Amino acid sequence: MRTIQTKKEHVAVSNRIVELLVLVDNSTANDDKNFIELDLLSDLVADYEEANEPIQAPTLIEVMKLRMYERGLNQKRLSELLGVSTSRVSEYLTGKSEPSLKTARDISQKLDIDPMIVLGV
C-alpha cells in the first residue's frame, strides 16, 4: 500500500478526511465507501504523523502547570503543599532551577506526576 511521502500530500489527505467526516458518523455502515475511505486515509495520516511528527513527552514544567490548573492551585498553595518557598516554585515553573530529589519525589507523589517526567527521562 502506498504511504504519504510529503507534507503537501499530508495536507491534501487531511483535507479529504475533513470532507469525509461530514459524510460519516457513528451510524454509518462499515461497508459504506465513505467509511472505508475515511478509515484507510486516517491510518495513512496516523502512520505519517507517527514517523514525521512524533508527539514529544511533556516537560515537568508543562505537567506541573497542568496539574496546578486541574487542582486549582496557585504558586503560593503549591509552595505550601511542597514545603518550599513561593520563589522556589516560581524558579521551577520558569526553568531557572530544578527541584531537589526530595522535592522531585514530593512533586511526583503530591501532584500525581509520573516519576519519569519529573526526572526528565
Side-chain angles (χ1 to χ4, degrees), residues 61-86:
I61 294 169
E62 294 168 336
V63 178
M64 283 180 66
K65 287 180 179 180
L66 174 63
R67 288 295 193 264
M68 289 173 66
Y69 172 78
E70 290 173 343
R71 296 171 185 204
L73 299 172
N74 57 25
Q75 288 186 17
K76 182 176 181 354
R77 179 67 188 110
L78 181 58
S79 70
E80 293 167 357
L81 184 67
L82 299 175
V84 298
S85 68
T86 53

Side-chain angles (χ1 to χ4, degrees), residues 33-47:
K33 69 177 185 166
N34 293 320
F35 179 89
I36 294 169
E37 183 181 1
L38 178 62
D39 190 43
L40 291 170
L41 294 179
S42 297
D43 288 345
L44 288 174
V45 167
D47 291 344

